[in-house]
Amino acid sequence: MSELRRSWVESANSAATPFPLNNLPYGVFSTGNTPPRCGVAIGDRILDLAGLEAAGALAFGGVFAEASWNRFMARGQADWARLRAALTAALAEGSDQRAALAPHLVPMDAAKLHLPFEVREYTDFYASRHHATNVGTMFRGANNALPPNWLHIPIGYNGRASSVVVSGTDVIRPHGQIKGPDDALPRFAPSARFDLELELGAIVGQPSSGPLSVAEGFAAIFGYVLLNDWSARDIQAWEYQPLGPFQGKATATTISPWIVTAAALAPFRVAAPPREVPLLPYLEEPGPMLYDIALEVGLTPEDGVETILARTNARELYYSAAQQLAHHASSGCPMRVGDLLGSGTISGAGPEARGSLLEMSWGGAEPITLADGQCRRFLEDGDTLTLRGAARGAGYQIGFGPCRGRVLPARAL
């Protein structure tokens, strides 16, 4: 495991910061009346890359003045590595570039963070065996929990790119068609079983027009974000057969504001769990492609205190983002710069590691008691959900920043 890289930005040397020199995640920010532009998080500061390039300290074709990282991603892996190497050297303790960079550091608490990239397409998968087993057990019984295809194929559905929002965006409780088990007919009403899903999102940084190997898929992934796939379980239950999720998953998908690069996470690669059945050759991994990233989800009621609902780890996934991408492209489906792949809910083996309220409350049958004594089966209006994640090294962590959203009441229709 690598050790902390020290920076002349003192706040980056704290074990508590999610943004040490080892990390250098990419985001889009604005200050005052200035337009959004590209920056990199370092400690409690944002390095203004657009300002640096305007001053002649960087040369990447003016891409950092834009309000997304898409044009930079499209430049390819060589430029990804060149920028990271330049920033690491310039921000390192003892660098002779301190005087040139210091004027371009912005206090993070004085900046507004925006969606860090333009989401071209969004696909959500179902890649955690514990989650799939829990949900399947609830609906089909323990003997038929996993669908027959689950151990052979990364299951997914195509979602709405337009639904993706940055952390801090409020989420309005959705309306939809709902039909309970005792209802003769469906009704149109606000969702009463609104839920979260604790996920990791992978960002495709290179286009493809045909099949990809898993290794090629791994190389094409620019970075990762935390992802909350808000889910209306009662709407989903009525609509999902036979074609899968639709409106129950279309309300919003919240992502964290910083793109943690694949390069920053490289020291934390881990192998997939043992395979119960062999995968077909096109899905076999040439090496470790999951990550040891500790994850947690907290719920804060309106005017209340936060309760940590669950803690789990991204290494619990059965399929990696590279496998998901390889499967997605296997039909010839073109993949584009800015495509977003959600992992699906990440759950661990125990009740304390379940990544959705559907699992935590076992379909609503087992209410959860919060720190202030309130109970939850599903989300209530005013609840704020916060996802957090970090890969932890020797005296440092590679964090994502919070992935947060508050539930607002359904609109009157």
Side-chain angles (χ1 to χ4, degrees):
M1 187 66 67
S2 59
E3 296 183 350
L4 172 71
R5 296 173 176 171
R6 296 193 64 83
S7 170
W8 53 262
V9 180
E10 279 302 320
S11 59
N13 299 325
S14 166
T17 182
F19 307 128
L21 184 59
N22 305 62
N23 193 350
L24 301 180
Y26 300 141
V28 170
F29 76 103
S30 61
T31 51
N33 295 321
T34 61
R37 56 205 185 274
C38 292
V40 60
I42 178 73
D44 62 1
R45 296 290 188 267
I46 300 173
L47 183 62
D48 183 350
L49 297 189
L52 271 184
E53 189 161 34
L58 292 173
F60 287 88
V63 296
F64 303 127
E66 299 195 0
S68 85
W69 279 83
N70 292 59
R71 270 190 63 201
F72 175 79
M73 287 191 281
R75 293 174 69 96
Q77 290 98 331
D79 271 3
W80 301 356
R82 182 164 70 93
L83 176 62
R84 181 171 175 82
L87 293 174
T88 299
L91 290 164
E93 191 173 61
S95 167
D96 61 3
Q97 299 181 60
R98 178 172 181 170
L101 268 63
H104 300 284
L105 287 172
V106 176
M108 195 170 293
D109 59 9
K112 178 180 179 181
L113 300 179
H114 302 267
L115 202 66
F117 66 104
E118 180 188 352
V119 182
R120 299 297 301 273
E121 306 283 355
Y122 167 50
T123 304
D124 195 40
F125 286 86
Y126 191 49
S128 165
R129 183 168 184 173
H130 295 299
H131 173 67
T133 300
N134 288 337
V135 173
T137 299
M138 272 184 261
F139 297 141
R140 293 184 297 275
N143 292 333
N144 297 297
L146 288 179
N149 58 357
W150 199 92
L151 293 172
H152 299 270
I153 185 174
I155 298 173
Y157 72 93
N158 286 315
R160 292 284 300 175
S162 62
S163 76
V164 181
V165 296
V166 72
S167 175
T169 305
D170 291 336
V171 175
I172 298 171
R173 182 180 298 275
H175 280 76
Q177 278 203 28
I178 298 167
K179 183 181 181 297
D182 300 323
D183 296 334
L185 295 171
R187 66 191 188 282
F188 188 72
S191 171
R193 293 165 67 90
F194 201 40
D195 199 0
L196 72 118
E197 291 195 348
L198 171 59
E199 303 192 21
L200 192 66
I203 302 161
V204 178
Q206 287 289 278
S208 63
S209 57
L212 295 170
S213 69
V214 174
E216 290 169 333
F218 188 81
I221 295 171
F222 180 65
Y224 297 83
V225 291
L226 301 180
L227 186 151
N228 182 356
D229 181 30
W230 302 87
S231 300
R233 301 299 186 185
D234 39 8
I235 297 172
Q236 182 181 355
W238 170 236
E239 73 178 5
Y240 84 101
Q241 295 190 41
L243 296 181
F246 184 39
Q247 292 296 82
K249 296 277 196 173
T251 301
T253 302
T254 302
I255 64 170
S256 51
W258 296 103
I259 302 170
V260 176
T261 63
L265 290 171
F268 303 95
R269 288 173 60 178
V270 292
R275 305 295 181 191
E276 186 172 313
V277 296
L279 295 175
L280 293 175
Y282 82 101
L283 286 174
E284 290 178 354
E285 314 101 305
M289 292 190 172
L290 295 177
Y291 296 101
D292 181 3
I293 303 172
L295 302 167
E296 70 175 32
V297 54
L299 186 154
T300 307
E302 190 168 20
D303 300 323
V305 297
E306 184 179 62
T307 299
I308 300 301
L309 297 179
R311 289 186 172 94
T312 184
N313 195 294
R315 70 187 304 160
E316 296 286 355
L317 290 168
Y318 193 82
Y319 295 105
S320 69
Q323 289 171 305
Q324 294 165 6
L325 182 53
H327 179 65
H328 209 327
S330 64
S331 64
C333 173
M335 306 304 296
R336 300 192 287 183
V337 173
D339 283 355
L340 175 64
L341 308 180
S343 64
T345 303
I346 303 173
S347 295
E352 73 289 346
R354 295 171 178 170
S356 68
L357 282 170
L358 177 68
E359 297 167 85
M360 295 176 207
S361 72
W362 207 251
E366 301 172 5
I368 301 155
T369 302
L370 304 183
D372 62 3
Q374 296 187 54
C375 290
R376 290 290 184 276
R377 289 178 170 85
F378 292 94
L379 297 175
E380 301 288 342
D381 294 343
D383 287 349
T384 295
L385 271 296
T386 304
L387 312 186
R388 301 182 184 91
R392 298 192 171 100
Y396 73 97
Q397 57 181 323
I398 303 294
F400 292 78
C403 178
R404 181 176 291 126
R406 179 180 57 161
V407 180
L408 297 185
R411 289 177 176 149
L413 297 180

